């Protein structure tokens, strides 16, 4: 295990579960001091520093980011990962649900980054990584609202990368395919045929299986690290080949 992040500090939103927790653990294992901002940070035990905040609430974000910066002695790496899902076509979600998902998935990144920027500007190795999604670049059925939110995250990533490159702050995102997290577990539990639904999700990925949280965490840790010093304004797919590959159907045995 490399310790290339030794001496750096990192803040991970939505860091108490799934992709965020795996990322917080990996950044810590690579030497960073790590804080987690979450609605319920209990899932992220020491040595991770937990801070309670709702990324949809500006005051709670501002105070949690300041408290995290105080505890860590600054912020070099910000991982904007907190996000929520939504299912349905454009006919299916009420306006309130549109406002809520965009508020968490898009404005959540705005609020957290805005609060962290003064700290990032003081860093000699500043980096922001947003958790975007394959849904930003591929049309998935029953994901109109979620996809719109992640499309906005992709564009926001590029715009933020342009705005802050001359301040020495890199901004990138990862685009995971379907990842085996508690979130997907909840989706499967709610399905009429969980085993069939899991098989369909596996089959949608050219690799034939779901992405692991560790695989997404590794991609985030790479983009966050000084080793990626010339990489900004990119989206790194961690999707089992879903975005780029076109396979022929498997030959029948
Ligand atoms: P998860 O549900 O396992 O974890 C999400 C974490 O975010 C939880 O700890 C939750 O408490 C926290 N959170 C939710 N709303 C929050 C808020 N308003 N303020 C602060 N914290 C909040 O989810 P998972 O699967 O790890 O997803 C993390 C990110 O990855 C999300 O942005 C999601 O859109 C993205 N993603 C997930 C994929 C998947 O297949 N699981 C695929 C592509 C992207």
């Amino acid at each position: 295990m490399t310790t290339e992040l030794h001496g750096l500090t990192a803040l991970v939103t939505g860091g108490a579960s799934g992709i965020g927790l795996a990322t917080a653990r990996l950044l810590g294992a690579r030497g960073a001091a790590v804080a987690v901002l979450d609605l319920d940070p209990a899932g992220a035990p020491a040595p991770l520093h937990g801070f309670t905040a709702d990324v949809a609430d500006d005051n709670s974000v501002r105070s949690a980011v300041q408290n995290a910066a105080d505890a860590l002695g600054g912020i070099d790496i910000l991982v904007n990962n907190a996000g929520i899902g939504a299912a349905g076509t454009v006919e299916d979600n009420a306006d309130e649900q549109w406002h809520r998902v965009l508020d968490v998935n898009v404005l959540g990144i705005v609020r957290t980054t805005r609060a962290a920027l003064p700290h990032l500007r003081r860093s000699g190795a500043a980096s922001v990584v947003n958790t975007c999604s394959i849904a930003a670049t591929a049309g998935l059925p029953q994901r109109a609202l979620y996809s719109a939110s992640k499309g906005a995250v992709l564009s926001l990533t590029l715009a933020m990368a342009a705005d802050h490159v001359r301040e020495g702050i890199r901004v990138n995102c990862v685009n995971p395919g379907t990842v085996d997290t508690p979130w997907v577990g909840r989706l499967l539990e709610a399905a009429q045929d969980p085993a069939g639904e899991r098989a369909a999700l596996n089959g949608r990925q050219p690799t034939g299986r779901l992405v692991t949280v560790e695989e997404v965490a590794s991609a985030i840790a790479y983009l966050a690290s000084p080793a990626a010093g010339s990489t900004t304004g990119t989206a790194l797919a961690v999707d089992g080949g879903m975005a780029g590959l076109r396979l022929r159907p498997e030959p029948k045995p």
Side-chain angles (χ1 to χ4, degrees), residues 101-234:
V101 173
L102 292 171
D103 199 19
V104 172
N105 291 6
V106 185
L107 276 83
I109 293 180
V110 173
R111 292 185 187 98
T112 313
T113 308
R114 194 165 57 195
L117 269 170
H119 306 288
L120 293 168
R121 288 192 179 107
R122 283 194 282 274
S123 165
S127 169
V128 177
V129 185
N130 299 325
T131 306
C132 190
S133 171
I134 178 79
T137 59
L140 306 179
Q142 295 286 326
R143 292 290 180 273
L145 165 51
Y146 181 70
S147 300
S149 79
K150 292 299 183 176
V153 170
L154 179 60
S155 301
L156 179 61
T157 300
L158 296 174
M160 282 170 31
D163 283 336
H164 303 295
V165 64
R166 290 186 177 149
E167 298 180 304
I169 303 169
R170 297 181 301 104
V171 185
N172 294 285
C173 67
V174 288
N175 285 1
T178 307
V179 189
D180 205 352
T181 67
W183 166 338
V184 168
R186 290 191 293 272
L187 276 177
L188 291 176
E189 273 168 33
Q192 280 186 337
D193 172 14
E197 183 66 15
R198 181 177 278 275
L201 290 178
N202 285 339
R204 194 167 68 174
Q205 311 233 151
T207 47
R209 64 163 176 84
L210 299 189
V211 178
T212 69
V213 290
E214 290 79 13
E215 289 165 341
V216 184
S218 298
I220 294 173
Y222 164 66
L223 291 170
S225 123
S230 287
T231 302
T232 190
T234 65

Side-chain angles (χ1 to χ4, degrees), residues 57-118:
D57 179 86
D58 196 46
N59 284 336
S60 82
V61 169
R62 283 181 190 279
S63 69
V65 169
Q66 187 58 52
N67 290 339
D70 290 346
L72 300 173
I75 300 173
D76 301 295
I77 295 165
L78 171 64
V79 181
N80 284 310
N81 166 79
I84 55 176
T89 73
V90 77
E91 288 184 303
D92 295 329
N93 305 111
D95 283 12
E96 295 69 38
Q97 205 178 355
W98 275 87
H99 287 301
R100 174 69 189 161
V101 173
L102 292 171
D103 199 19
V104 172
N105 291 6
V106 185
L107 276 83
I109 293 180
V110 173
R111 292 185 187 98
T112 313
T113 308
R114 194 165 57 195
L117 269 170

